[in-house]
Amino acid sequence: MDKGLFLRNLEIFTKHDRLISVTHDIAPGEVLTVMGPSGVGKSTLLAGVIGTLSPDFRMVGEIWLDGVNITLLPPRLRKIGIMFQDDLLFPHLSVGQNLAFGLKPGGTRADRAAKVTAALNEVGLEGFEARDPATLSGGQKARVALMRMLLSEPSALLLDEAFSRLDATLRAQVRDLVFQRAKDRNLPVLMVTHDVEDARAACGPIIDLGRQSGSV
Amino acid sequence: MPLVPLLAIGLMLGPVAAGLWGTVLPAFGQMRVIGEFESPLEPFRILFNWAGLPKAVTLSITTGIGATAISLMIVSLLMAGWSGTRQFRLIERMLSPLLSVPHAAAAFGFAFLVAPSGWLSRMISPVLTGWDRPPDVLIVQDPAGLAMMLGLIIKEVPFLLLMSIAALSQSQAQSSITIAQALGYGRVTGWLKTVFPRVYHQIRLPVYVVLAYSMSVVDVALILGPNTPASLSVQIVKWMSDPDLQMRAVAAAGALIQLALVIGALAFWRITEIIAAYLGQRWITAGGRGKCDSIIGVFALFSAFVAALAIILGLLILTIWSFAGFWGFPEALPDQLTFRNWARHGPGAWQAFGETALIASVVSGIALLLSIGCLEAEHRHNVQFTRRTVWLIYLPLLVPQTAFLPGIQSLMLGIGAETGRLPVMIAHLVFVFPYVFLSLSDPYRAWDIRYATVASALGATPNRILFRIRLPMLLRPVLTAVAVGMAVSVGQYLPTLLIGGGRIETLTTEAVALASGADRRAIGVFGLMQTGAALLPFALVLIVPNILWRQRRGLRHG
């Protein structure tokens, strides 16, 4: 069985110290939660996995995704989607254009438009194609950001405090939506959060970087 | 190191280095084309025999250091007394348009205001003064260079203010001033003791640029500076256009003296900084809370107000002259307004406008491409620009124009190269690129890099991210950088004159050429057109993004 996101002896160093050390296999449909206080290196771990680690850090170990070693691949070829606490919808593009940006190239214009429409319908945003992202509510933006990422057909999903900007009720809704979509598509999910509710809802293994001072 | 930054540095420093080389050679009689000298030091001997030299040297030093010190003082006290207030926000809003008014147009407007027959004198005559003819005093082109110094100050205050505001935003000034005031310090004293050291540290290079520029400026000196003798830089340019080619060697020797003066003044300024820092620390630890803070604050606001008003009224009087029919002396306004001046000078001005716009567009376009290339290389290859690289960017602005532009002309003469539009563009690029780069770099680096992370996670290539996401989102700062570049190019006098061999006629060269005559109507037309050429791009910056992004609320207000 080589489906899933595998972190093999992954260690990240600052100039002087070891910041994190993780070894974990995330099975398809599973959510691995990484917790810990700020500054412990949670976001650095995600940057290492997605391939945007700052040169101030050094990473050793390997990352495997669905049987492929992606450790040295550039970010755009890793097939890993990411969501941040901000929706980061491109403000100069309409909702539909944002989704089309995520969609893989190819297909006729009509095909692509149909896919965008289907994605919007899936999350209850019928007819939002031409809307300006700046006019959307927080929950609507989060749903567009999720669908934009899913349209790029990633093989794994990273969540960087993705729900922390939303208020309590909305938070639970969006979180359930994201976890459900990830499960439907059998995506391994790596979630970084400082919120216990997020961790509980994920129903998966939890790594607490603060308590274990790095080693798992 | 990636290619584009190297190319940019080469294009900037290459001409400066070549120009200095082309100055050193003839100055020591080592350039055949220019003539043979009995001894290598002959050019210097002729220079030192020129009776005007001591006066010209003194002028360069006093106007340069005076204009810089006074501008810096006004800006510091203005920020100390008013930053963060409503009045200050009003000043901030006027800054960009004031900044883009070319030096020459501002100087002409200032001259038309304060001259004995100027607007101010007309407004109070004959009621208050009893004058029915202009008083016989030398206000403009005074031998001490005071008018020239004031003309420089009204333009350098907006420049230093803009630089200081940018520095201020990075220094958490508001909390410092709140704490200082809670400890019983006056606003001005508290600001000077807590915020000024941080701000000055950041605006040091721009201050040096102002010093080097004010010491060696040519166009403002031709308009407002004395004639008998002229300042050293003006004299160098006169020698460069002397029919006797040998005088170019004397000009080169003068250029080296000018360079030495600027280096000496910078060293003097640096020593003064160290002394001021030492005295300032004693002043801070002495604990004085400040006595006349409110008076100083009002004085600073008044000075800044007068400086802004001088530019605005100057443009107004240029406008009036460009439409003036007969206008006898003590009358405050012309007898009639007419389009005749525009009919006479308009066609020539439009032709010069075309040349100006062509050069400005091409040069700022290239400067923009180079700047984006440098910044993108920094992002993709993690090239960290250090303090030393920032010095490299400022270097062409610190070497006085009169020290290396004559050298380029001599070199071109030496290798038989044609003067013309292309060399002029390359020379403009030396001065335009630093401003475009400095204008674009802050917003470019401040762009939320997570947009790029998201886009690359969606499978986008670096180029797709650059062209589809980053540049469209940065449309406003990109256009602003282009507008800054065009304003800088429009205002260039010396590079256009010397490298163009006098054959490239832009609005600036044409306007400054009118300075020696007394045709105020022609100057009005050309000065207005010059200002318009510099302001127009800024107007487009305000309009274009609002049209393109009219459906995008997230981008509409920058």
Side-chain angles (χ1 to χ4, degrees):
Chain A
M1 192 213 71
D2 52 8
K3 280 275 182 191
L5 179 63
F6 303 158
L7 312 179
R8 298 272 161 83
N9 302 320
L10 205 61
E11 292 183 294
I12 297 180
F13 298 88
T14 62
K15 283 218 174 73
H16 314 288
D17 302 304
R18 189 174 70 179
L19 190 63
I20 335 171
S21 154
V22 182
T23 292
H24 199 99
D25 291 355
I26 312 171
E30 183 184 59
V31 182
L32 171 66
T33 305
V34 176
M35 298 194 71
S38 48
V40 79
K42 301 186 303 268
S43 295
T44 311
L45 172 65
L46 293 193
V49 174
I50 203 161
T52 56
L53 199 63
S54 134
D56 299 335
F57 299 99
R58 191 167 57 82
M59 187 176 80
V60 297
E62 289 181 348
I63 307 166
W64 290 72
L65 179 58
D66 293 347
V68 180
N69 182 353
I70 61 166
T71 319
L72 298 175
L73 285 184
R76 66 191 170 88
L77 301 178
R78 292 192 180 207
K79 306 187 81 173
I80 300 180
I82 188 164
M83 289 180 76
F84 293 97
Q85 59 179 342
D86 300 295
D87 55 82
L88 298 174
L89 295 178
F90 305 127
H92 62 297
L93 303 178
S94 69
V95 167
Q97 288 168 328
N98 262 284
L99 293 175
F101 188 91
L103 200 57
K104 293 215 150 142
T108 64
R109 281 166 68 101
D111 282 347
R112 297 176 66 81
K115 278 184 186 161
V116 167
T117 303
L120 284 172
N121 293 350
E122 188 182 333
V123 289
L125 295 174
E126 291 85 357
F128 270 58
E129 284 87 344
R131 286 283 289 272
D132 175 3
T135 63
L136 267 50
S137 72
Q140 290 170 334
K141 286 180 190 169
R143 280 181 273 166
V144 176
L146 170 68
M147 293 320 289
R148 177 178 68 177
M149 189 199 50
L150 292 179
L151 280 178
S152 74
E153 298 171 35
S155 301
L157 174 51
L158 307 187
L159 302 172
D160 189 354
E161 303 277 4
F163 317 115
S164 59
R165 281 279 173 91
L166 304 168
D167 63 53
T169 40
L170 205 56
R171 191 182 177 110
Q173 271 179 32
V174 173
R175 188 169 55 210
D176 290 346
L177 182 74
V178 171
F179 287 161
Q180 193 55 51
R181 290 297 176 283
K183 207 171 206 90
D184 293 348
R185 288 166 169 78
N186 252 334
L187 296 178
V189 179
L190 173 55
M191 172 170 72
V192 153
T193 182
H194 62 261
D195 184 273
V196 186
E197 277 302 311
D198 285 349
R200 206 168 289 153
C203 303
I206 298 174
I207 297 176
D208 192 334
L209 287 178
R211 205 173 300 159
Q212 307 200 358
S213 71
S215 197
V216 180
Chain B
M1 201 173 182
L3 192 67
V4 181
L6 283 179
L7 181 68
I9 289 173
L11 274 173
M12 254 192 333
L13 300 188
V16 178
L20 287 176
W21 180 238
T23 304
V24 170
L25 280 186
F28 292 98
Q30 300 300 314
M31 197 176 268
R32 284 275 168 73
V33 206
I34 281 173
E36 311 238 349
F37 291 93
E38 290 164 23
S39 86
L41 291 179
E42 182 75 5
F44 279 98
R45 201 189 56 76
I46 301 173
L47 175 70
F48 288 130
N49 278 339
W50 174 49
L53 187 66
K55 190 83 199 357
V57 165
T58 316
L59 259 179
S60 171
I61 295 171
T62 52
T63 49
I65 292 184
T68 313
I70 295 174
S71 307
L72 180 63
M73 188 187 75
I74 295 176
V75 168
S76 309
L77 294 180
L78 181 72
M79 307 256 296
W82 301 92
S83 63
T85 64
R86 202 156 39 89
Q87 290 87 337
F88 194 75
R89 229 165 295 150
L90 185 76
I91 297 173
E92 268 181 276
R93 230 169 289 150
M94 288 162 51
L95 214 50
S96 289
L98 285 180
L99 206 58
S100 54
V101 176
H103 276 88
F108 276 126
F110 184 67
F112 288 5
L113 276 181
V114 301
S117 62
W119 211 19
L120 296 182
S121 147
R122 284 168 195 261
M123 283 207 240
I124 55 170
S125 299
V127 184
L128 292 177
T129 59
W131 296 334
D132 52 10
R133 66 183 64 182
D136 189 17
V137 283
L138 202 57
I139 298 178
V140 172
Q141 303 188 326
D142 60 296
L146 293 180
M148 174 178 161
M149 197 155 87
L150 288 174
L152 284 167
I153 290 171
I154 59 174
K155 273 299 294 170
E156 299 315 329
V157 163
F159 174 68
L160 284 181
L161 194 55
L162 185 80
M163 293 293 158
S164 307
I165 289 172
L168 195 66
S169 60
Q170 299 168 16
S171 57
Q172 288 150 4
Q174 213 50 49
S175 50
S176 298
I177 193 72
T178 310
I179 288 170
Q181 280 179 314
L183 295 173
Y185 283 89
R187 227 206 100 103
V188 173
T189 310
W191 194 91
L192 288 177
K193 286 187 174 183
T194 61
V195 183
F196 179 73
R198 276 174 278 167
V199 169
Y200 186 76
H201 184 71
Q202 301 231 7
I203 63 165
R204 226 161 90 198
L205 283 172
V207 169
Y208 293 175
V209 168
V210 169
L211 180 58
Y213 176 84
S214 304
M215 286 184 74
S216 57
V217 65
V218 173
D219 50 357
V220 176
L222 279 170
I223 297 164
L224 293 172
N227 281 325
T228 49
S231 73
L232 184 56
S233 281
V234 171
Q235 191 58 47
I236 292 170
V237 177
K238 282 185 182 160
W239 281 326
M240 281 305 286
S241 52
D242 199 293
D244 178 3
L245 276 185
Q246 284 212 340
M247 291 316 277
R248 287 168 190 246
V250 182
L256 287 185
I257 299 290
Q258 178 77 73
L259 179 64
L261 283 178
V262 168
I263 293 172
L266 286 172
F268 168 78
W269 193 271
R270 181 77 194 105
I271 293 167
T272 312
E273 273 175 12
I274 294 169
I275 297 171
Y278 172 74
L279 293 178
Q281 273 166 7
R282 285 181 51 170
W283 183 53
I284 290 169
T285 41
R289 260 52 175 171
K291 290 202 182 72
C292 10
D293 277 34
S294 47
I295 300 172
I296 296 173
V298 169
F299 164 77
L301 187 65
F302 178 74
S303 312
F305 177 73
V306 169
L309 202 65
I311 296 183
I312 295 166
L313 285 181
L315 291 180
L316 191 62
I317 184 70
L318 283 179
T319 314
I320 296 177
W321 270 113
S322 78
F323 289 106
F326 181 77
W327 193 357
F329 170 66
E331 304 301 326
L333 288 171
D335 290 353
Q336 78 266 33
L337 296 176
T338 161
F339 283 101
R340 235 183 353 222
N341 308 324
W342 284 90
R344 182 181 305 157
H345 304 292
W350 278 111
Q351 204 173 349
F353 178 89
E355 183 77 61
T356 308
L358 175 68
I359 294 175
S361 320
V362 172
V363 170
S364 16
I366 295 172
L368 178 72
L369 289 181
L370 288 172
S371 300
I372 293 175
C374 289
L375 290 163
E376 190 64 13
E378 174 183 315
H379 162 63
R380 288 188 197 179
H381 305 279
N382 281 303
V383 188
Q384 301 284 333
F385 279 96
T386 56
R387 290 195 70 79
R388 217 166 292 151
T389 349
V390 176
W391 267 96
L392 278 185
I393 290 166
Y394 272 99
L395 198 63
L397 307 178
L398 288 172
V399 180
Q401 292 195 347
T402 33
F404 73 96
L405 288 173
I408 297 182
Q409 203 203 35
S410 301
L411 276 188
M412 288 170 62
L413 193 73
I415 59 173
E418 281 287 311
T419 54
R421 196 177 285 137
L422 185 68
V424 168
M425 286 178 174
I426 294 172
H428 276 213
L429 189 63
V430 172
F431 306 102
V432 169
F433 172 77
Y435 286 107
V436 172
F437 183 85
L438 291 171
S439 161
L440 185 61
S441 58
D442 278 346
Y444 203 90
R445 289 170 182 151
W447 184 71
D448 191 341
I449 205 70
R450 293 176 306 165
Y451 282 112
T453 305
V454 166
S456 63
L458 295 172
T461 61
N463 284 340
R464 186 165 151 85
I465 296 172
L466 175 65
F467 291 111
R468 289 288 309 277
I469 307 293
R470 193 167 198 166
L471 290 182
M473 282 177 71
L474 292 173
L475 179 67
R476 197 180 301 266
V478 163
L479 291 180
T480 305
V482 173
V484 168
M486 292 184 86
V488 171
S489 170
V490 166
Q492 293 299 321
Y493 173 67
L494 203 55
T496 322
L497 182 78
L498 287 184
I499 311 301
R503 288 189 292 127
I504 301 296
E505 295 175 348
T506 63
L507 287 166
T508 300
T509 59
E510 294 298 272
V512 177
L514 291 168
S516 52
D519 189 348
R520 293 188 170 183
R521 293 172 180 82
I523 292 174
V525 170
F526 276 91
L528 268 192
M529 290 280 286
Q530 192 203 16
T531 307
L535 272 174
L536 187 70
F538 283 99
L540 292 178
V541 173
L542 291 179
I543 299 167
V544 170
N546 283 345
I547 294 175
L548 277 179
W549 301 141
R550 66 189 178 282
Q551 311 274 14
R552 300 282 173 259
R553 211 170 59 184
L555 289 167
R556 221 176 302 155
H557 300 292

